[in-house]
Structures are given as structure tokens and as C-alpha cells.
Amino acid sequence: MKSLLAALKKGAVLVSDGAWGTQLHTRGLKSGECPELWNITHRTDVYGVAKGYIDAGADMIETNSFGGSPSKLGHYGLQDRAAELNAAAAAISREAAGDDHFVLGSMGPTGVILLTGEVTEATLREGFRIQAKALEKGGVDALCIETMAAVDEACLAVRAARESAGCEIICTFTFEKTAAGEYRTMMGVSPAEMARAVKEAGADIIGTNCGNGLEGMIDVVREIRKTDQSTPVLVHANAGKPVLRNGVTVFPETPEMMASKVGDLIEAGADIIGGCCGTGPEHIRALADTIRKR
Amino acid sequence: MNELVEKIGHCVERGKINKASPFPGNMKGQDGADELTRQALEAGMDAEAILQSCIAGMVRIGEKFGRNEVFVPEMLMAAKAMKAVTEHLKPFFQSGSVQAKGTLIIGTVAGDLHDIGKNLVSMFIEGNGWNVVDLGVDVKPEKFTDAIRKNPRCVVGLSALLTTTIASMSKTVREIKALFPEIKIIVGGAPLTMEIATGMGASGYARDPQGAVTWLTDIKETA
């Protein structure tokens, strides 16, 4: 297991990978199919996505386990296979990454809201533990708890990961710009609140993912840096806000457009930069080239 | 308006469910929607007046949400407080002294398993006095058309969170319109815009729950 923190101490900005969902869909994953089941049924395709990002120049890749919590897998009746599917996800990315690149085990939100009482903390904690343990067993270097919106769920995930796995922990939230021009998650959490809460819960690296394009991420990182100047910040940015063209969903930001703003993102304080929805290997190649030429 | 009735509406707006609920922090220990509605009905107050006060409270919080002054937690708590009120009002609905405004059939389209937004809209519309038939998530077009057959005078609401399920939503609109050209369909969800909604042939689009309530009210009045 390698340390991202140690690698970051050397001073270089590191490059992460791009979207997984988008890439799996282009390889034939249908809406309504369980993406994580592809770790077993379509291993070659999942490996292809992972390898595509390594070949594009990423220093690290994620795993196909975003919806790998028992709660999410339960929609497909696969909750009892959580450990198996997460371990398989990690093993595929490990194989693609080899020993020289990092693997981040993706852990997305469970889709249930603690506040409403529809689920107990104990149930969610147990789910996060199963996922974290399996990802570590499968060979990840760090866990990436991402697309979070609620402080309670994110902190529960960070603590559960800390208790059940020995690797480093990243936690990123998804923010949207409000009418007043501030950034908040759908649950109303600001970047500053996020930074304080998940750091206290034990995250080693904090940050933001998804969103509406690279430009908004610059503002979010600035907000985080007002509160926290020392914790490394990871950004996984969407290729803009999707639009519908001739019945097909298109993400408007090209690799060149994203790469042209990456300097400002680094200036703002980002330490690890990659893509989210709508990005592919070409976006990552453009980001990697620009970042390494700096 | 009677002070107690007004207070119930305030509890709904603030999401104060009952005395035991710790939310919101500055109303801790006070009677909530549950206790106050019981008191009001025991004192013989009009169920319709209570309902109207609560609907006004829902509109106020819904508008704040639309202006990004409050977020999902406040909306969820308001909807829960509304539910606490409607539990008490159920006998009046059943006796016919309070009438439902109409029926909305709602669901997240096929291929999409996200329900937070759909549930929120569903609770808001129900709180506004509509009968809501919630078909859940990953709802195939046939399930919508079956439900329409059982509720021929309904309005349909479609939800999608994923950009990849916009196509599925579009297909659902087409299939419903092919069988029931008169049925009104409203769509919503994070990846949608008015332009996308119009492009797929939907009758309406709302960017937040209150927008959906306003749209429903408008079409009911013009119907």
C-alpha cells in the first residue's frame, strides 16, 4: 500500500482519472443495470476503462465501486454480494495500475437520508465498513468517499473507513452555486463546513467532485482554502453541465477547455486533479500534459 | 386567521413535527404540528382552515427553497410536519368535507434509481392537497400507462437524476402520449431544463417542488 500523502509531500500536483459511469455506458452498460456487477460479468470492459486512464497519464485511478454500498446494491438484490463486488473492483483497478500508480477505492453516497429516520446510523456504518474492508482487501491505496452532500453521512463513512481499513482516506462533496452565488450541497453544507467536519472525522485528503464544470471548482477550492490551508485538496470536475443535443446527452467542456483553466485551479490550492461525469481519457491526457508542463 | 390555526402553518413552514422533535433548534420543547392540530380539532376548528394554513406554510418554505435560502433538510422536515397534520385531518378527507385537488401519478423513470427528489416533490404535492400515487423508482412506461388507466383524470410526474436517463424519460413521455394524448405530464430532475422538457414533449417542467405545485395549480384552474 502506497501513501498519497507522502507522494504529495514531494510538491507535484497529481493527476487523477475521469468518469467511470460515462465510460461504462459507452461500452454498453444499460441504464438500470448494476455497474458494480460488471466487475464480475464484464471484467474486460471495466479493466479497459481503468487502463484507459493509466495510458492517458493519470497518477491514480478509482475503482468501479461508486454504488457498492449494500444499500445501493440492494436495489438490484445484490446487497449480500457487496464484499465480493467491491473486492473485484479494487483488484481490476490494481491490475491496471500496476505498482507505480495509485488506486483509490470509490465509495459513493447510500442514497438514503439519516435525518428522515428511514435508516439507522448502525446500518449505514456497517455497510461502509463492508465496502472499505473489501476495497482494501482488493488492493486499493486509499479510499475515496465522494459525491457526498450530508455531513452526517460523510463523517459516518469516514469514521467507518478509518475503523475498518488502514489506508488513507479522501472525502469529497458535491456543491452547487446558489442564487446568491455561494456554494452549497443539496443539504445546505458549505465548503468550509465540509472541510472542518470531514477533517475532524479523520479524512486525510478533502475536496470536491462532480459539479457543473471546472470553473466552479476553482471557487469551491478557494472557499475550502479560506478554512483549511494545510490538508491536501482533490478535485474531480465534470465536463460542464450536460445539455441535450439531438436526443443525446452531451457534456460541453472539451479537454482543451478544461486544461485551459487548470492553472487557476492549482493556484486556488488543488493538489490532485481529475475528472468526473462526462470526462474521458482525452480530458485526463490534456490535464496531465498541462499540469506536468507547469 | 385564528392564532392556533396560523401557528400550525408556522410549524409546517419550520418543520416542527411534534414536541419531542429537536428540529428546528430554536423551537425545542414547544408543541409542534402534531399537538397543535389535535388541540385545534378538539377546540372545534375547521379542518379546511387548518389545511389552508398548512398549505400556505408549505408554499412559504417551498419558495425559500426555490431561492436557495433553505435546502433539502428543511424541506423534508416541513413535509414531515405536514404529514403529522394530515394524519389528523384524514377523517375529514375520508368523510368528503375536505376534497383532494386531483391525482398525480409520480415515479422515477426506468433505469434511474434515485428517489430523494421524487419523494420531496411527492410529499409537497400531497401536502398541497393532491392525492399522490407514487410508483417508486425505475418505473417502466407500461407501469405508468397501467396506473393512468386506473386514474384516467390524473396528471403524471416524471423524475430523473442521471443524465443517462433523460432518454428513458423522453421515451416514457412518448409512450404515455401515444396512448393518452390528453394526459398532462410534468418532468423534473437535476439534469433537466425547460428546453429539454419541451424538446421531449412534456407539458410542463419544474425546477423545484414549489414550482411543481404552482404548475399543478395553474393547469387545474385552466382545465
Side-chain angles (χ1 to χ4, degrees):
Chain A
M1 196 188 299
K2 294 186 294 299
S3 166
L4 266 176
L5 292 179
L8 287 167
K9 281 221 175 79
K10 292 177 190 155
V13 170
L14 298 180
V15 181
S16 188
D17 65 0
W20 279 74
T22 315
Q23 294 298 311
L24 290 173
H25 280 290
T26 59
R27 288 168 188 266
L29 176 75
K30 299 211 170 45
S31 299
E33 258 189 282
C34 174
E36 290 73 24
L37 189 58
W38 270 42
N39 295 328
I40 307 293
T41 59
H42 294 72
R43 197 183 194 279
T44 317
D45 289 297
V46 179
Y47 177 84
V49 176
K51 192 68 172 45
Y53 287 125
I54 293 291
D55 293 345
D59 296 303
M60 64 196 75
I61 51 171
E62 289 203 78
T63 55
N64 180 34
S65 56
F66 178 79
S69 61
S71 159
K72 276 276 180 196
L73 292 172
H75 289 298
Y76 309 96
L78 296 171
Q79 61 277 14
D80 296 336
R81 294 178 69 181
E84 174 202 358
L85 297 176
N86 281 285
I92 294 169
S93 288
R94 182 83 269 163
E95 191 187 327
D99 293 333
D100 313 333
H101 298 81
F102 293 94
V103 174
L104 318 181
S106 171
M107 294 170 67
T110 56
V112 284
I113 297 180
L114 279 163
L115 178 75
T116 61
E118 61 185 311
V119 65
T120 63
E121 283 200 6
T123 305
L124 285 198
R125 185 182 300 118
E126 183 53 25
F128 286 131
R129 279 185 181 158
I130 291 170
Q131 215 185 343
K133 244 186 240 171
L135 287 166
E136 187 171 64
K137 195 173 146 223
V140 303
D141 299 297
L143 292 166
C144 187
I145 297 159
E146 55 186 349
T147 326
M148 286 286 160
V151 163
D152 51 7
E153 185 185 5
C155 290
L156 193 69
V158 171
R159 289 198 185 96
R162 183 59 76 217
E163 287 156 15
S164 40
C167 57
E168 290 171 346
I169 297 166
I170 306 163
C171 183
T172 65
F173 275 47
T174 299
F175 300 96
E176 277 183 65
K177 202 174 188 169
T178 67
E182 295 169 326
Y183 286 86
R184 292 282 188 280
T185 71
M186 70 165 188
M187 302 301 277
V189 182
S190 72
E193 285 167 332
M194 174 283 295
R196 277 192 293 270
V198 298
K199 187 82 206 305
E200 198 192 306
D204 299 294
I205 296 171
I206 59 178
T208 181
N209 73 298
C210 218
N212 287 330
L214 204 81
E215 199 144 337
M217 298 314 222
I218 299 168
D219 294 335
V220 173
V221 173
R222 284 189 187 127
E223 287 296 313
I224 294 172
R225 282 289 175 240
K226 278 185 204 163
T227 304
D228 186 322
Q229 292 81 41
S230 59
T231 310
V233 166
L234 177 149
V235 174
H236 282 139
N238 277 10
K241 192 174 165 64
V243 290
L244 199 64
R245 277 187 208 139
N246 305 322
V248 183
T249 312
V250 183
F251 284 83
E253 289 186 15
T254 62
E256 296 71 34
M257 284 158 81
M258 284 186 85
S260 71
K261 291 174 211 149
V262 79
D264 291 340
L265 189 58
I266 295 169
E267 288 297 311
D271 302 282
I272 304 172
I273 298 169
C276 199
C277 308
T279 59
E282 291 315 311
H283 289 87
I284 299 311
R285 195 183 305 279
L287 289 175
D289 288 350
T290 312
I291 289 168
R292 288 184 188 131
K293 270 188 210 131
R294 274 171 54 92
Chain B
M1 197 192 288
N2 174 289
E3 197 186 323
L4 185 52
V5 171
E6 204 168 334
K7 230 170 156 181
I8 299 171
H10 182 68
C11 284
V12 168
E13 178 184 358
R14 300 292 318 281
K16 179 67 178 170
I17 303 167
N18 52 31
K19 195 166 186 167
S21 169
F23 186 92
N26 61 359
M27 289 176 83
K28 230 179 211 170
Q30 296 176 19
D31 280 349
D34 181 28
E35 292 85 3
L36 296 177
T37 307
R38 199 175 52 233
Q39 291 163 25
L41 290 172
E42 278 168 9
M45 282 165 206
D46 181 28
E48 180 66 35
I50 296 171
L51 181 67
Q52 289 310 322
S53 169
C54 293
I55 289 176
M58 291 284 269
V59 169
R60 290 196 295 274
I61 192 76
E63 286 174 353
K64 282 186 192 166
F65 183 78
R67 295 193 298 264
N68 308 132
E69 291 166 18
V70 297
F71 298 89
V72 170
E74 289 84 356
M75 292 284 275
L76 281 172
M77 297 315 274
K80 286 197 129 198
M82 185 74 198
K83 210 165 174 63
V85 174
T86 49
E87 282 301 310
H88 289 288
L89 299 184
K90 254 189 192 151
F92 300 89
F93 285 112
Q94 280 151 4
S95 73
S97 64
V98 176
Q99 293 274 337
K101 291 179 178 170
T103 297
L104 174 84
I105 291 171
I106 193 168
T108 305
V109 298
D112 202 321
L113 300 165
H114 295 86
D115 65 0
I116 294 174
K118 186 262 300 165
N119 291 348
L120 206 52
V121 171
S122 166
M123 287 188 282
F124 258 67
I125 290 171
E126 198 168 22
N128 194 262
W130 286 69
N131 171 37
V132 174
V133 178
D134 188 340
L135 301 179
V137 298
D138 191 17
V139 182
K140 312 267 179 304
E142 310 85 78
K143 206 168 162 190
F144 280 108
T145 49
D146 285 349
I148 296 167
R149 242 171 240 122
K150 288 180 200 139
N151 301 276
R153 292 174 56 80
C154 71
V155 178
V156 176
L158 306 179
S159 169
L161 177 83
L162 299 170
T163 52
T164 47
T165 45
I166 293 178
S168 164
M169 179 180 262
S170 184
K171 180 170 179 271
T172 309
V173 170
R174 274 199 311 278
E175 295 199 10
I176 293 173
K177 288 278 181 191
L179 290 175
F180 306 98
E182 302 300 315
I183 289 281
K184 293 256 196 309
I185 305 169
I186 181 165
V187 297
L192 290 167
T193 59
M194 179 63 94
E195 198 189 343
I196 296 177
T198 315
M200 66 172 68
S203 332
Y205 160 76
R207 57 179 291 274
D208 55 50
Q210 189 53 39
V213 168
T214 308
W215 182 83
L216 283 171
T217 310
D218 287 349
I219 62 155
K220 197 176 143 56
E221 277 167 9
T222 54

